[in-house]
PDB file of all heavy atoms in Angstrom:
ATOM      1  N   VAL A  32     -11.540 -11.874 -23.477  1.00  0.00           N
ATOM      2  CA  VAL A  32     -10.645 -10.750 -23.949  1.00  0.00           C
ATOM      3  C   VAL A  32     -10.993 -10.266 -25.375  1.00  0.00           C
ATOM      4  O   VAL A  32     -11.054  -9.043 -25.669  1.00  0.00           O
ATOM      5  CB  VAL A  32      -9.219 -11.187 -23.813  1.00  0.00           C
ATOM      6  CG1 VAL A  32      -8.314 -10.183 -24.540  1.00  0.00           C
ATOM      7  CG2 VAL A  32      -8.791 -11.336 -22.372  1.00  0.00           C
ATOM      8  N   ALA A  33     -11.162 -11.252 -26.300  1.00  0.00           N
ATOM      9  CA  ALA A  33     -11.306 -10.841 -27.709  1.00  0.00           C
ATOM     10  C   ALA A  33     -12.609 -10.039 -27.874  1.00  0.00           C
ATOM     11  O   ALA A  33     -12.560  -8.990 -28.560  1.00  0.00           O
ATOM     12  CB  ALA A  33     -11.383 -12.103 -28.570  1.00  0.00           C
ATOM     13  N   GLU A  34     -13.688 -10.441 -27.357  1.00  0.00           N
ATOM     14  CA  GLU A  34     -14.962  -9.715 -27.477  1.00  0.00           C
ATOM     15  C   GLU A  34     -14.893  -8.369 -26.764  1.00  0.00           C
ATOM     16  O   GLU A  34     -15.349  -7.325 -27.316  1.00  0.00           O
ATOM     17  CB  GLU A  34     -16.176 -10.499 -26.893  1.00  0.00           C
ATOM     18  CG  GLU A  34     -16.597 -11.639 -27.714  1.00  0.00           C
ATOM     19  CD  GLU A  34     -17.873 -12.279 -27.120  1.00  0.00           C
ATOM     20  OE1 GLU A  34     -18.482 -11.680 -26.249  1.00  0.00           O
ATOM     21  OE2 GLU A  34     -18.239 -13.359 -27.551  1.00  0.00           O
ATOM     22  N   PHE A  35     -14.279  -8.324 -25.593  1.00  0.00           N
ATOM     23  CA  PHE A  35     -14.156  -7.099 -24.861  1.00  0.00           C
ATOM     24  C   PHE A  35     -13.326  -6.087 -25.542  1.00  0.00           C
ATOM     25  O   PHE A  35     -13.638  -4.921 -25.740  1.00  0.00           O
ATOM     26  CB  PHE A  35     -13.654  -7.422 -23.477  1.00  0.00           C
ATOM     27  CG  PHE A  35     -13.669  -6.283 -22.461  1.00  0.00           C
ATOM     28  CD1 PHE A  35     -14.888  -5.674 -22.187  1.00  0.00           C
ATOM     29  CD2 PHE A  35     -12.471  -5.725 -21.954  1.00  0.00           C
ATOM     30  CE1 PHE A  35     -14.909  -4.662 -21.213  1.00  0.00           C
ATOM     31  CE2 PHE A  35     -12.526  -4.702 -21.024  1.00  0.00           C
ATOM     32  CZ  PHE A  35     -13.747  -4.202 -20.668  1.00  0.00           C
ATOM     33  N   SER A  36     -12.167  -6.519 -26.164  1.00  0.00           N
ATOM     34  CA  SER A  36     -11.286  -5.611 -26.807  1.00  0.00           C
ATOM     35  C   SER A  36     -11.894  -5.001 -28.069  1.00  0.00           C
ATOM     36  O   SER A  36     -11.882  -3.853 -28.356  1.00  0.00           O
ATOM     37  CB  SER A  36      -9.926  -6.341 -27.121  1.00  0.00           C
ATOM     38  OG  SER A  36      -9.075  -5.415 -27.806  1.00  0.00           O
ATOM     39  N   ALA A  37     -12.650  -5.952 -28.811  1.00  0.00           N
ATOM     40  CA  ALA A  37     -13.308  -5.515 -30.034  1.00  0.00           C
ATOM     41  C   ALA A  37     -14.396  -4.494 -29.720  1.00  0.00           C
ATOM     42  O   ALA A  37     -14.537  -3.520 -30.482  1.00  0.00           O
ATOM     43  CB  ALA A  37     -13.862  -6.662 -30.767  1.00  0.00           C
ATOM     44  N   ALA A  38     -15.166  -4.746 -28.600  1.00  0.00           N
ATOM     45  CA  ALA A  38     -16.227  -3.805 -28.207  1.00  0.00           C
ATOM     46  C   ALA A  38     -15.631  -2.473 -27.810  1.00  0.00           C
ATOM     47  O   ALA A  38     -16.236  -1.423 -28.152  1.00  0.00           O
ATOM     48  CB  ALA A  38     -17.054  -4.406 -27.109  1.00  0.00           C
ATOM     49  N   LEU A  39     -14.573  -2.467 -27.074  1.00  0.00           N
ATOM     50  CA  LEU A  39     -13.983  -1.172 -26.674  1.00  0.00           C
ATOM     51  C   LEU A  39     -13.467  -0.444 -27.909  1.00  0.00           C
ATOM     52  O   LEU A  39     -13.628   0.794 -27.959  1.00  0.00           O
ATOM     53  CB  LEU A  39     -12.845  -1.397 -25.721  1.00  0.00           C
ATOM     54  CG  LEU A  39     -13.102  -1.977 -24.270  1.00  0.00           C
ATOM     55  CD1 LEU A  39     -11.848  -2.194 -23.515  1.00  0.00           C
ATOM     56  CD2 LEU A  39     -14.057  -1.026 -23.543  1.00  0.00           C
ATOM     57  N   ARG A  40     -12.809  -1.129 -28.838  1.00  0.00           N
ATOM     58  CA  ARG A  40     -12.318  -0.475 -30.030  1.00  0.00           C
ATOM     59  C   ARG A  40     -13.456   0.118 -30.828  1.00  0.00           C
ATOM     60  O   ARG A  40     -13.318   1.189 -31.407  1.00  0.00           O
ATOM     61  CB  ARG A  40     -11.468  -1.440 -30.763  1.00  0.00           C
ATOM     62  CG  ARG A  40     -10.712  -0.781 -31.948  1.00  0.00           C
ATOM     63  CD  ARG A  40     -10.014  -1.802 -32.788  1.00  0.00           C
ATOM     64  NE  ARG A  40      -9.015  -2.565 -32.185  1.00  0.00           N
ATOM     65  CZ  ARG A  40      -7.721  -2.156 -32.159  1.00  0.00           C
ATOM     66  NH1 ARG A  40      -7.357  -1.048 -32.802  1.00  0.00           N
ATOM     67  NH2 ARG A  40      -6.785  -2.899 -31.615  1.00  0.00           N
ATOM     68  N   ALA A  41     -14.544  -0.582 -30.910  1.00  0.00           N
ATOM     69  CA  ALA A  41     -15.684  -0.128 -31.663  1.00  0.00           C
ATOM     70  C   ALA A  41     -16.582   0.896 -30.975  1.00  0.00           C
ATOM     71  O   ALA A  41     -17.461   1.400 -31.592  1.00  0.00           O
ATOM     72  CB  ALA A  41     -16.565  -1.387 -32.056  1.00  0.00           C
ATOM     73  N   GLY A  42     -16.337   1.097 -29.685  1.00  0.00           N
ATOM     74  CA  GLY A  42     -17.190   2.052 -28.976  1.00  0.00           C
ATOM     75  C   GLY A  42     -18.601   1.521 -28.757  1.00  0.00           C
ATOM     76  O   GLY A  42     -19.550   2.288 -28.800  1.00  0.00           O
ATOM     77  N   ARG A  43     -18.711   0.248 -28.428  1.00  0.00           N
ATOM     78  CA  ARG A  43     -19.986  -0.393 -28.328  1.00  0.00           C
ATOM     79  C   ARG A  43     -20.542  -0.280 -26.893  1.00  0.00           C
ATOM     80  O   ARG A  43     -19.837  -0.323 -25.930  1.00  0.00           O
ATOM     81  CB  ARG A  43     -19.833  -1.869 -28.705  1.00  0.00           C
ATOM     82  CG  ARG A  43     -21.106  -2.610 -28.947  1.00  0.00           C
ATOM     83  CD  ARG A  43     -20.795  -4.030 -29.403  1.00  0.00           C
ATOM     84  NE  ARG A  43     -19.950  -3.977 -30.700  1.00  0.00           N
ATOM     85  CZ  ARG A  43     -19.016  -4.912 -30.963  1.00  0.00           C
ATOM     86  NH1 ARG A  43     -18.837  -5.889 -30.103  1.00  0.00           N
ATOM     87  NH2 ARG A  43     -18.348  -4.745 -32.034  1.00  0.00           N
ATOM     88  N   SER A  44     -21.882  -0.150 -26.798  1.00  0.00           N
ATOM     89  CA  SER A  44     -22.467  -0.263 -25.532  1.00  0.00           C
ATOM     90  C   SER A  44     -23.765  -1.164 -25.735  1.00  0.00           C
ATOM     91  O   SER A  44     -24.139  -1.448 -26.849  1.00  0.00           O
ATOM     92  CB  SER A  44     -22.903   1.088 -24.968  1.00  0.00           C
ATOM     93  OG  SER A  44     -23.911   1.697 -25.724  1.00  0.00           O
ATOM     94  N   ASN A  45     -24.285  -1.633 -24.528  1.00  0.00           N
ATOM     95  CA  ASN A  45     -25.373  -2.510 -24.643  1.00  0.00           C
ATOM     96  C   ASN A  45     -26.477  -2.028 -23.643  1.00  0.00           C
ATOM     97  O   ASN A  45     -26.996  -2.824 -22.806  1.00  0.00           O
ATOM     98  CB  ASN A  45     -24.952  -3.930 -24.308  1.00  0.00           C
ATOM     99  CG  ASN A  45     -25.947  -5.008 -24.678  1.00  0.00           C
ATOM    100  OD1 ASN A  45     -26.896  -4.705 -25.439  1.00  0.00           O
ATOM    101  ND2 ASN A  45     -25.839  -6.128 -24.151  1.00  0.00           N
ATOM    102  N   VAL A  46     -26.817  -0.836 -23.733  1.00  0.00           N
ATOM    103  CA  VAL A  46     -27.838  -0.227 -22.816  1.00  0.00           C
ATOM    104  C   VAL A  46     -29.203  -0.725 -23.136  1.00  0.00           C
ATOM    105  O   VAL A  46     -29.605  -0.845 -24.346  1.00  0.00           O
ATOM    106  CB  VAL A  46     -27.822   1.286 -22.930  1.00  0.00           C
ATOM    107  CG1 VAL A  46     -28.885   1.902 -22.020  1.00  0.00           C
ATOM    108  CG2 VAL A  46     -26.430   1.851 -22.541  1.00  0.00           C
ATOM    109  N   ARG A  47     -29.926  -1.106 -22.130  1.00  0.00           N
ATOM    110  CA  ARG A  47     -31.261  -1.653 -22.349  1.00  0.00           C
ATOM    111  C   ARG A  47     -32.089  -1.536 -20.995  1.00  0.00           C
ATOM    112  O   ARG A  47     -31.441  -1.375 -19.981  1.00  0.00           O
ATOM    113  CB  ARG A  47     -31.303  -3.075 -22.742  1.00  0.00           C
ATOM    114  CG  ARG A  47     -30.589  -4.081 -21.857  1.00  0.00           C
ATOM    115  CD  ARG A  47     -30.589  -5.491 -22.318  1.00  0.00           C
ATOM    116  NE  ARG A  47     -29.754  -5.589 -23.561  1.00  0.00           N
ATOM    117  CZ  ARG A  47     -29.685  -6.775 -24.209  1.00  0.00           C
ATOM    118  NH1 ARG A  47     -30.385  -7.808 -23.869  1.00  0.00           N
ATOM    119  NH2 ARG A  47     -28.934  -6.864 -25.283  1.00  0.00           N
ATOM    120  N   PRO A  48     -33.361  -1.620 -21.062  1.00  0.00           N
ATOM    121  CA  PRO A  48     -34.141  -1.565 -19.772  1.00  0.00           C
ATOM    122  C   PRO A  48     -33.700  -2.694 -18.874  1.00  0.00           C
ATOM    123  O   PRO A  48     -33.525  -3.866 -19.291  1.00  0.00           O
ATOM    124  CB  PRO A  48     -35.587  -1.769 -20.309  1.00  0.00           C
ATOM    125  CG  PRO A  48     -35.641  -1.258 -21.679  1.00  0.00           C
ATOM    126  CD  PRO A  48     -34.251  -1.692 -22.258  1.00  0.00           C
ATOM    127  N   ILE A  49     -33.618  -2.363 -17.600  1.00  0.00           N
ATOM    128  CA  ILE A  49     -33.210  -3.378 -16.571  1.00  0.00           C
ATOM    129  C   ILE A  49     -34.301  -4.415 -16.393  1.00  0.00           C
ATOM    130  O   ILE A  49     -35.487  -4.138 -16.366  1.00  0.00           O
ATOM    131  CB  ILE A  49     -32.939  -2.655 -15.205  1.00  0.00           C
ATOM    132  CG1 ILE A  49     -31.771  -1.793 -15.344  1.00  0.00           C
ATOM    133  CG2 ILE A  49     -32.880  -3.625 -14.059  1.00  0.00           C
ATOM    134  CD1 ILE A  49     -31.471  -0.896 -14.120  1.00  0.00           C
ATOM    135  N   THR A  50     -33.831  -5.712 -16.261  1.00  0.00           N
ATOM    136  CA  THR A  50     -34.750  -6.831 -16.119  1.00  0.00           C
ATOM    137  C   THR A  50     -34.584  -7.485 -14.794  1.00  0.00           C
ATOM    138  O   THR A  50     -35.315  -8.395 -14.451  1.00  0.00           O
ATOM    139  CB  THR A  50     -34.508  -7.923 -17.252  1.00  0.00           C
ATOM    140  OG1 THR A  50     -33.175  -8.368 -17.197  1.00  0.00           O
ATOM    141  CG2 THR A  50     -34.780  -7.256 -18.646  1.00  0.00           C
ATOM    142  N   ALA A  51     -33.544  -7.101 -14.025  1.00  0.00           N
ATOM    143  CA  ALA A  51     -33.197  -7.853 -12.797  1.00  0.00           C
ATOM    144  C   ALA A  51     -34.267  -7.687 -11.672  1.00  0.00           C
ATOM    145  O   ALA A  51     -34.354  -8.534 -10.826  1.00  0.00           O
ATOM    146  CB  ALA A  51     -31.871  -7.278 -12.238  1.00  0.00           C
ATOM    147  N   PHE A  52     -35.028  -6.644 -11.784  1.00  0.00           N
ATOM    148  CA  PHE A  52     -36.045  -6.351 -10.787  1.00  0.00           C
ATOM    149  C   PHE A  52     -37.181  -5.577 -11.433  1.00  0.00           C
ATOM    150  O   PHE A  52     -37.055  -4.975 -12.525  1.00  0.00           O
ATOM    151  CB  PHE A  52     -35.517  -5.642  -9.544  1.00  0.00           C
ATOM    152  CG  PHE A  52     -34.809  -4.381  -9.879  1.00  0.00           C
ATOM    153  CD1 PHE A  52     -35.508  -3.147  -9.952  1.00  0.00           C
ATOM    154  CD2 PHE A  52     -33.461  -4.370 -10.117  1.00  0.00           C
ATOM    155  CE1 PHE A  52     -34.861  -1.988 -10.243  1.00  0.00           C
ATOM    156  CE2 PHE A  52     -32.820  -3.177 -10.417  1.00  0.00           C
ATOM    157  CZ  PHE A  52     -33.477  -1.974 -10.506  1.00  0.00           C
ATOM    158  N   ASP A  53     -38.314  -5.469 -10.721  1.00  0.00           N
ATOM    159  CA  ASP A  53     -39.460  -4.805 -11.218  1.00  0.00           C
ATOM    160  C   ASP A  53     -39.225  -3.296 -11.103  1.00  0.00           C
ATOM    161  O   ASP A  53     -38.983  -2.769 -10.043  1.00  0.00           O
ATOM    162  CB  ASP A  53     -40.760  -5.159 -10.407  1.00  0.00           C
ATOM    163  CG  ASP A  53     -41.977  -4.457 -10.866  1.00  0.00           C
ATOM    164  OD1 ASP A  53     -41.940  -3.689 -11.869  1.00  0.00           O
ATOM    165  OD2 ASP A  53     -43.078  -4.714 -10.281  1.00  0.00           O
ATOM    166  N   THR A  54     -39.155  -2.604 -12.216  1.00  0.00           N
ATOM    167  CA  THR A  54     -38.801  -1.215 -12.225  1.00  0.00           C
ATOM    168  C   THR A  54     -40.062  -0.232 -12.225  1.00  0.00           C
ATOM    169  O   THR A  54     -39.934   0.948 -12.489  1.00  0.00           O
ATOM    170  CB  THR A  54     -37.910  -0.859 -13.432  1.00  0.00           C
ATOM    171  OG1 THR A  54     -38.642  -1.206 -14.646  1.00  0.00           O
ATOM    172  CG2 THR A  54     -36.603  -1.604 -13.396  1.00  0.00           C
ATOM    173  N   THR A  55     -41.253  -0.876 -11.976  1.00  0.00           N
ATOM    174  CA  THR A  55     -42.479  -0.083 -11.935  1.00  0.00           C
ATOM    175  C   THR A  55     -42.308   1.033 -10.919  1.00  0.00           C
ATOM    176  O   THR A  55     -41.835   0.776  -9.754  1.00  0.00           O
ATOM    177  CB  THR A  55     -43.629  -0.952 -11.517  1.00  0.00           C
ATOM    178  OG1 THR A  55     -43.762  -2.006 -12.542  1.00  0.00           O
ATOM    179  CG2 THR A  55     -44.970  -0.145 -11.518  1.00  0.00           C
ATOM    180  N   GLY A  56     -42.603   2.273 -11.285  1.00  0.00           N
ATOM    181  CA  GLY A  56     -42.609   3.351 -10.396  1.00  0.00           C
ATOM    182  C   GLY A  56     -41.386   4.253 -10.636  1.00  0.00           C
ATOM    183  O   GLY A  56     -41.360   5.439 -10.148  1.00  0.00           O
ATOM    184  N   PHE A  57     -40.389   3.757 -11.350  1.00  0.00           N
ATOM    185  CA  PHE A  57     -39.214   4.552 -11.710  1.00  0.00           C
ATOM    186  C   PHE A  57     -39.526   5.153 -13.077  1.00  0.00           C
ATOM    187  O   PHE A  57     -39.929   4.488 -14.006  1.00  0.00           O
ATOM    188  CB  PHE A  57     -37.912   3.682 -11.749  1.00  0.00           C
ATOM    189  CG  PHE A  57     -37.535   3.139 -10.437  1.00  0.00           C
ATOM    190  CD1 PHE A  57     -37.743   1.794 -10.127  1.00  0.00           C
ATOM    191  CD2 PHE A  57     -36.923   3.942  -9.451  1.00  0.00           C
ATOM    192  CE1 PHE A  57     -37.344   1.260  -8.909  1.00  0.00           C
ATOM    193  CE2 PHE A  57     -36.524   3.405  -8.253  1.00  0.00           C
ATOM    194  CZ  PHE A  57     -36.696   2.077  -7.952  1.00  0.00           C
ATOM    195  N   ALA A  58     -39.207   6.436 -13.159  1.00  0.00           N
ATOM    196  CA  ALA A  58     -39.489   7.157 -14.488  1.00  0.00           C
ATOM    197  C   ALA A  58     -38.603   6.679 -15.576  1.00  0.00           C
ATOM    198  O   ALA A  58     -38.990   6.734 -16.747  1.00  0.00           O
ATOM    199  CB  ALA A  58     -39.293   8.698 -14.231  1.00  0.00           C
TER     200      ALA A  58
END
Side-chain angles (χ1 to χ4, degrees):
V32 168
E34 285 187 12
F35 189 61
S36 181
L39 291 178
R40 190 188 291 271
R43 193 175 304 146
S44 67
N45 193 16
V46 176
R47 60 180 65 185
I49 290 173
T50 62
F52 55 87
D53 182 2
T54 59
T55 302
F57 295 102

